[in-house]
Amino acid sequence: MEEDELGFEKKQTLFTNNDSLNYQKEIQNEHINKLFNKRFSIVNNECYLLPEPTSIFKDYLWKIDELQMLKHELNTIKNCLNNYDLGKWQLHTKLRNSAKDVMTRLKYDIQPELLTQAWCKFYEIVASFPLIPVDYIRNTSKHFTSIHLCEAPGAFITSLNHWLKTHKNAHDIQWNWIGMTLNPYYEGNSLSVMIDDDRFIRHTLNHWCFGEDNTGNVMNLKNLNELITLSELHQDIFLITADGSMDCIDVPAEQESVLIHLHFCETVSALHLLATGGSFLLKMFTIFECNSVCLIYLLSCCFNNVSVIKPATSKEGNSETYVVCTNFKGPKVISPYLEKLKEHYEHGPKQAIFCKHDIPHAFMKKIIECSEFFKSQQCLVIQNNIITFNSDNPKMLHDIRQIQRVVADKYIKNYNVKKLESGEIVGNVIMLGKTTSTNEYKKLQGSYNERCEKQYLAPLDRIKSFCNDICKIEFHLLADKFIKYKFTKLPKELQICLGKRFHTICSSKFCSKSALKIKNGVDDLLIKINHKIQFPSVESIHELEAEILHTSRHKIVVFQYTDIYDSHKMIIEIYDALQKLNNGTTLTLIGYSLFTHYSIGLLYIISCAFNSLKVTVHNDLGLKITLHHYNYNLKVLNFLNEISVASSEAQRQGKAIVEIISPLILYEGCNLCYSAEEFNHWIIKAYIHYALHTLKN
């Protein structure tokens, strides 16, 4: 393998420098063919057997020396990137990505619904492997259900729909689907583990299961049980996909260990749900550690065919691979083990799933070969990207562009991608609009070493660093600028949704990832040094009260941005205030959060009882929200009472209200949703400057 790697690297050098056109074309073709054949067969109808159920989770976590050596070699190469600025490096690798033109060609020639890199990867796999037992389905009930775990934003689903509708043997199959993913409308979910692009989700909410606690967290056993209950209503589950991952940017050397618990939960979920003959597609990364090997062995005992593939459209320099498992042997094989597996579901396996001696030597040898195969190719790509990082060789750029064009042609031809004439699930036109951008977030990351250095700065210097970061975010608001709104159309009914209680806003559809990460970083630092502040400050609130309370018919309700998030307190104080208001009174809210669907929905509802709503940005207060001229509205008060009662019941259950209006209805009826991000950026900026001021004094 080492000789092959060095030979290919040598050829790569020649490919960028050799003047022979024929030789150059030969090397290009070799590179492209390898790009489309990054796959390794683990099981091809071999018969591996599971050990007795009583013997699992009995051994300490063990290691395989050959795999640990491969891990060391890969991390040595990856460590060379520690001083590279993340944004610049990712731009460089994007420009050199051999499959860069695939999405462009698909966008203009095929126009897929919700086209993303995930769409391309799934289409490759479904067109290359018998993921769907088409002949069996057509000869029996002619319908099947697929379940998609960790699926946001939904591109596997739209890609599968495209394949089914354009595949000549599958277009008449009746297909239903269920998605489970971290709920983009639940603000207790961390952005480091969640994709919050909801363009597709908001239009297909009836297909999504967010579990018992409404988080959508597949690693919660109660959520799995709810998914199992829901799936019992749908026969013939012949496909389960699991595309989960987490942000491992700060622990790049231990990506596999960080993700093993997630992969375990995804695998156990699939084995609970899948019908005999079905398929399971699992995203994994490296296979160096004990329980990754055990998971692959578990799957190898449960499926007749198991392969590991890195799609051509997967980023070449990362460790991402997909485990493709087809022809499930059936529940009878795995049912004796399910309860034991579920015992380790929520906390993850702390011991080896299987004893080392229970895994056949022949299987272990295949895993080592597989890991060597993918490691070698990844290292080669990283090394070539390092060599070319500072190069402006025009011939080199010309060569890679030529490869990119050929790869796009080959992708469309190999996988027989055709335009979908009809049958979109939602439609691109409907989903047009704002998407979550990560460019700004990447720009603030710097290099890995720079991020590590920031962790050791003195508290005051850390806050200054956060101030510098927040100032890099573009602001369009000026102090004392205001925006006025008028809402009159109440929803016909509330859609109250309970979920797991949270006290820190970890994600928000109404704030950029960059800004919220900065805010939470400041919060964590202040807690660490035991420095408590109130924002808005008591002095600022007193000044405002002195300014406006001498005016008749005026009431102020004060919250604190620095308090823990408490949805119950919010409804109690708002409902209490409105019950006591006289007609014509103006209500001012200070420190009121606009970060959650619940808080914006609540503000939208009460605004319908006033002539207008004005939001003013303020250096010392963050926002001043003014509701002008109260008009008694029985429906509004009834809604608030309904929310208050539901919130009290949620508290009794140890939960909280997370939504009161469906996101689709809220976005259509409340244009405040579309300016909330600017307001929240202003709040964060004002808060960080105030925190810096208090630390200096």
Side-chain angles (χ1 to χ4, degrees):
M1 183 61 72
E2 185 177 350
E3 290 181 2
D4 289 345
E5 180 181 340
L6 290 172
F8 185 57
E9 186 174 358
K10 183 179 179 182
K11 288 175 183 178
Q12 285 291 90
T13 305
L14 287 169
F15 148 61
T16 58
N17 296 287
N18 199 291
D19 293 328
S20 168
L21 293 178
N22 289 335
Y23 187 77
Q24 179 179 327
K25 188 172 182 179
E26 180 184 330
I27 298 304
Q28 285 182 354
N29 289 337
E30 180 184 358
H31 172 77
I32 291 166
N33 288 333
K34 285 189 175 184
L35 184 72
F36 281 90
N37 286 284
K38 292 182 179 179
R39 57 186 66 184
F40 192 99
S41 176
I42 302 289
V43 179
N44 187 15
N45 292 313
E46 292 95 338
C47 187
Y48 291 112
L49 299 175
L50 288 169
E52 290 298 316
T54 54
S55 69
I56 66 175
F57 298 106
K58 294 293 185 183
D59 200 356
Y60 292 110
L61 294 172
W62 39 262
K63 294 182 182 295
I64 301 296
D65 291 341
E66 293 92 332
L67 295 177
Q68 291 303 304
M69 180 60 70
L70 294 174
K71 176 182 177 180
H72 173 73
E73 291 170 1
L74 177 59
N75 283 336
T76 299
I77 297 296
K78 289 166 69 175
N79 287 342
C80 296
L81 308 178
N82 287 349
N83 286 315
Y84 286 75
D85 178 86
L86 179 67
K88 292 178 181 177
W89 176 257
Q90 291 188 339
L91 176 61
H92 171 66
T93 57
K94 179 180 179 181
L95 291 174
R96 282 191 56 81
N97 179 13
S98 300
K100 173 178 170 289
D101 285 357
V102 171
M103 280 184 60
T104 304
R105 282 285 304 280
L106 289 173
K107 180 180 178 181
Y108 290 104
D109 295 351
I110 308 298
Q111 299 171 4
E113 181 181 21
L114 192 63
L115 176 63
T116 68
Q117 198 167 31
W119 192 102
C120 302
K121 291 183 293 188
F122 181 83
Y123 205 92
E124 272 188 73
I125 296 168
V126 75
S128 303
F129 291 88
L131 282 188
I132 317 296
V134 172
D135 292 339
Y136 176 82
I137 294 169
R138 294 182 81 246
N139 291 331
T140 54
S141 60
K142 288 196 176 182
H143 76 266
F144 84 102
T145 299
S146 62
I147 294 180
H148 304 272
L149 307 175
C150 305
E151 171 58 13
F156 273 21
I157 295 164
T158 58
S159 185
L160 175 57
N161 178 64
H162 195 109
W163 184 85
L164 287 169
K165 294 290 192 340
T166 58
H167 192 275
K168 62 181 180 180
N169 292 327
H171 69 275
D172 60 341
I173 289 176
Q174 298 175 42
W175 167 58
N176 186 34
W177 61 270
I178 301 169
M180 175 175 267
T181 200
L182 287 173
N183 186 351
Y185 309 120
Y186 176 80
E187 289 85 6
N189 282 331
S190 170
L191 280 169
S192 66
V193 298
M194 179 180 68
I195 294 174
D196 66 342
D197 183 346
D198 70 331
R199 288 172 295 159
F200 178 75
I201 293 172
R202 75 171 71 168
H203 298 285
T204 55
L205 279 170
N206 60 322
H207 280 273
W208 294 88
C209 172
F210 295 127
E212 186 270 345
D213 65 1
N214 207 42
T215 64
N217 184 2
V218 73
M219 298 164 75
N220 181 316
L221 186 56
K222 288 184 179 179
N223 291 345
L224 170 60
N225 290 335
E226 180 146 321
L227 181 60
I228 291 171
T229 300
L230 178 62
S231 69
E232 289 171 354
L233 304 175
H234 303 273
Q235 300 290 319
D236 304 320
I237 297 171
F238 284 117
L239 174 64
I240 296 176
T241 67
D243 197 34
S245 187
M246 298 179 190
D247 187 351
C248 299
I249 192 171
D250 292 326
V251 282
E254 297 301 330
Q255 182 181 39
E256 181 180 337
S257 298
V258 170
L259 292 169
I260 187 60
H261 183 194
L262 174 61
H263 296 155
F264 176 78
C265 291
E266 291 172 321
T267 300
V268 174
S269 299
L271 295 176
H272 270 83
L273 298 163
L274 205 56
T276 303
S279 302
F280 176 43
L281 179 63
L282 172 67
K283 175 155 76 176
M284 287 188 73
F285 294 85
T286 51
I287 313 172
F288 298 144
E289 306 296 350
C290 162
N291 275 333
S292 295
V293 176
C294 289
L295 279 185
I296 301 293
Y297 185 69
L298 174 63
L299 293 170
S300 298
C301 294
C302 295
F303 292 83
N304 285 318
N305 303 94
V306 177
S307 294
V308 181
I309 177 176
K310 184 171 184 64
T313 46
S314 174
K315 293 178 183 176
E316 295 174 88
N318 67 21
S319 301
E320 175 187 75
T321 58
Y322 286 86
V323 185
V324 185
C325 310
T326 57
N327 200 353
F328 180 49
K329 295 178 181 178
K332 65 180 183 301
V333 173
I334 193 61
S335 57
Y337 300 84
L338 291 180
E339 288 306 313
K340 192 71 175 176
L341 291 169
K342 285 169 75 172
E343 289 177 14
H344 298 264
Y345 193 87
E346 293 213 326
H347 301 291
K350 306 302 181 188
Q351 295 170 294
I353 301 172
F354 302 120
C355 296
K356 189 175 180 180
H357 60 74
D358 284 330
I359 298 181
H361 176 74
F363 178 85
M364 202 73 80
K365 185 180 178 182
K366 279 196 173 183
I367 292 296
I368 294 169
E369 291 174 359
C370 177
S371 295
E372 168 68 34
F373 176 74
F374 288 105
K375 186 275 305 183
S376 297
Q377 295 185 74
Q378 184 181 357
C379 287
L380 186 60
V381 170
I382 294 173
Q383 288 170 323
N384 286 333
N385 282 335
I386 290 172
I387 291 169
T388 57
F389 184 71
N390 293 311
S391 171
D392 57 357
N393 185 333
K395 182 179 184 303
M396 195 176 290
L397 292 174
H398 175 269
D399 290 342
I400 193 64
R401 286 171 185 154
Q402 188 174 1
I403 285 176
Q404 288 165 348
R405 288 191 291 270
V406 175
V407 168
D409 290 338
K410 188 175 179 66
Y411 179 96
I412 291 175
K413 181 180 179 181
N414 278 13
Y415 306 121
N416 194 24
V417 191
K418 301 173 184 175
K419 191 170 183 179
L420 180 62
E421 301 298 338
S422 64
E424 289 183 324
I425 300 173
V426 172
N428 274 320
V429 174
I430 296 173
M431 288 190 288
L432 281 175
K434 184 178 177 185
T435 60
T436 302
S437 173
T438 58
N439 291 333
E440 186 179 75
Y441 175 66
K442 291 174 183 175
K443 185 171 67 177
L444 297 179
Q445 294 300 293
S447 71
Y448 173 75
N449 285 341
E450 287 171 339
R451 293 194 303 276
C452 290
E453 287 170 6
K454 284 184 179 182
Q455 302 300 315
Y456 299 104
L457 292 174
L460 185 59
D461 292 328
R462 287 283 318 268
I463 294 288
K464 287 180 180 178
S465 175
F466 284 125
C467 267
N468 290 334
D469 286 344
I470 199 69
C471 289
K472 292 176 185 175
I473 296 176
E474 190 173 347
F475 286 87
H476 300 100
L477 296 173
L478 300 173
D480 299 322
K481 181 178 179 181
F482 67 86
I483 300 180
K484 205 167 185 178
Y485 306 89
K486 184 171 180 63
F487 303 118
T488 57
K489 186 179 179 182
L490 281 166
K492 292 180 181 178
E493 59 183 9
L494 298 175
Q495 296 184 44
I496 295 175
C497 189
L498 306 187
K500 182 180 178 181
R501 187 185 297 176
F502 64 93
H503 296 304
T504 299
I505 296 170
C506 300
S507 60
S508 173
K509 293 295 297 176
F510 312 109
C511 182
S512 73
K513 183 176 183 178
S514 310
L516 192 57
K517 187 176 177 68
I518 293 168
K519 175 192 175 297
N520 288 338
V522 172
D523 289 343
D524 292 342
L525 177 63
L526 295 178
I527 291 170
K528 185 177 180 179
I529 64 175
N530 198 28
H531 182 79
K532 295 182 180 179
I533 64 173
Q534 283 189 322
F535 182 72
S537 67
V538 174
E539 295 80 9
S540 298
I541 293 168
H542 286 336
E543 287 178 13
L544 179 69
E545 289 174 336
E547 177 187 332
I548 65 176
L549 282 184
H550 69 273
T551 307
S552 61
R553 295 192 171 187
H554 216 115
K555 180 172 177 58
I556 297 179
V557 176
V558 177
F559 300 93
Q560 289 284 337
Y561 297 122
T562 45
D563 285 347
I564 63 169
Y565 178 75
D566 188 339
S567 59
H568 186 67
K569 177 183 177 183
M570 197 177 291
I571 179 59
I572 294 302
E573 297 205 13
I574 292 290
Y575 186 29
D576 183 63
L578 253 69
Q579 284 181 309
K580 298 173 182 176
L581 283 189
N582 296 319
N583 278 351
T585 302
T586 292
L587 175 66
T588 298
L589 305 179
I590 301 299
Y592 184 86
S593 170
L594 293 180
F595 286 90
T596 68
H597 287 84
Y598 171 80
S599 60
I600 290 184
L602 187 59
L603 183 59
Y604 171 46
I605 287 170
I606 65 172
S607 298
C608 292
F610 291 84
N611 280 0
S612 66
L613 164 70
K614 184 170 77 172
V615 183
T616 308
V617 298
H618 197 285
N619 279 327
D620 297 324
L621 297 168
L623 299 181
K624 182 172 71 172
I625 299 174
T626 309
L627 296 124
H628 290 283
H629 197 98
Y630 176 65
N631 302 300
Y632 177 82
N633 187 312
L634 182 59
K635 187 173 182 180
V636 168
L637 290 174
N638 286 340
F639 273 175
L640 294 182
N641 180 62
E642 187 180 343
I643 297 166
S644 177
V645 170
S647 185
S648 296
E649 174 59 23
Q651 281 209 315
R652 189 187 68 77
Q653 298 178 28
K655 294 184 177 182
I657 294 179
V658 294
E659 291 173 27
I660 53 178
I661 302 173
S662 167
L664 186 59
I665 296 173
L666 183 63
Y667 294 150
E668 288 178 348
C670 179
N671 53 6
L672 174 61
C673 291
Y674 299 99
S675 46
E677 180 174 298
E678 287 285 336
F679 292 136
N680 285 328
H681 286 177
W682 184 274
I683 291 169
I684 293 171
K685 180 183 177 183
Y687 163 56
I688 294 174
H689 280 94
Y690 180 70
L692 180 60
H693 171 75
T694 63
L695 272 179
K696 284 181 176 179
N697 296 321

